[in-house]
Amino acid sequence: VQKPLCARREGEPMGERLGLQGGRLPDSGPTGEDWHARQVGHREVLRPKRGLLEVEVLHGVDAICYEKNSRWATCKTHCVKGKDPADNNETWSCKQLGPKGIGLTIKGTPSLYCFSLTRTSGYEVTIMQGQMNYSLGIFACDEYDVFSADGVMSLGKDARGDEIKTVKVEPAVIKTTMDGTAGNARLFVHVWDKVVELNKWRNHEWTIKADPDAVLIPERIRWHVAAHTGEKVYILNCNKFPSSPNFPMMFGSVEVFAFQAMLEYSRSHNACTDSMGQWLESWGEDYYMGKCMDLIKVGRISDYSIVGDAVCTGADCNNPGVASFHPFKDWSAWSECSQRAVNASKQR
């Protein structure tokens, strides 16, 4: 007897599908397609022979596969035995069919979802394409996205052969803050809205926003955050002015949030815009996001070597204990820093 697995047909809720090794699925719909299965990391992707539908087995963070009955199950964070008002009052057994999910650990543990916001012209495009071509930076994370307020453009194909297109976000007026930096909080509220909407973060234990000119080394990020996986925290990465009430704080070159922090943000982000919306054009996005995390009671972790930032206290690409470096505003400088970091790791 095959063990049921959590799966989702495209356009449907996640649910049980049998016959993972291929063959006729008893509950495959009116067309009765035969399905093939192939392993993609901790994902099973099942495809009908005629290519009409698709099913993915996704292991969301903290999600458990619960049985409804002998023919259906779904992956969710909790289940109450008996009639479920969210499912037409149908009865659920809520039998647990597997362990709690740890995310899509395709490339490493803990799993990382990383993204950048880029312009569609200028040096940022060249840097993002370079990262993609060599599977570096955000493209070395388990999943990734590239956003742009300028529109949709193709960056080319990644190492898996998938075409990477920018995801369009709503633009915003960028003003200047009191300290002379970009007042881009409103723009990044739009970016975070899109991140929440896409929902990829739910499948990863950490979400990372990285500027295009930040040399991100995901494997080192994992070393830094592993001990705090499962906590509701975000990371403070700069203490440039220890006597200032605004420090330590999170500088925006590399922003790191645990799954539980993202879960709280997805539920409570409106509280931040309600409370601080009048400052969105006057604040930098990193300052706003830190204030938002504090408002919704996400905990703080200080790690001043998760990024070596010349805007903070310096960037030494030869330091093997630092997980990212900023800023490197052309592909030559970016790739040179990345290579120096690789060499430093080998010598460690």
Side-chain angles (χ1 to χ4, degrees), residues 310-321:
V311 182
C312 182
T313 58
D316 178 7
C317 302
N318 296 311
N319 189 334

Side-chain angles (χ1 to χ4, degrees), residues 37-104:
R38 65 182 176 88
Q39 184 76 28
V40 183
H42 283 231
R43 248 192 276 206
E44 291 282 353
V45 180
L46 287 75
R47 302 182 186 281
K49 287 180 179 178
R50 293 187 294 279
L52 299 176
L53 295 171
E54 179 173 314
V55 171
E56 286 188 333
V57 177
L58 298 176
H59 300 281
V61 176
D62 284 353
I64 296 174
C65 193
Y66 291 106
E67 179 187 79
K68 174 180 179 181
N69 51 44
S70 62
R71 294 180 61 81
W72 185 261
T74 191
C75 296
K76 51 188 179 179
T77 54
H78 68 281
C79 186
V80 179
K81 186 176 180 179
K83 295 185 182 297
D84 183 357
D87 189 27
N88 297 317
N89 280 325
E90 295 196 22
T91 302
W92 283 72
S93 72
C94 289
K95 178 182 176 182
Q96 185 173 327
L97 301 178
K100 184 176 290 189
I102 61 170
L104 293 177

Side-chain angles (χ1 to χ4, degrees), residues 227-248:
H228 301 289
T229 298
E231 300 175 12
K232 189 168 78 171
V233 295
Y234 77 106
I235 293 182
L236 305 178
N237 57 24
C238 180
N239 196 22
K240 186 175 183 179
F241 304 107
S243 60
S244 168
N246 292 326
F247 283 83

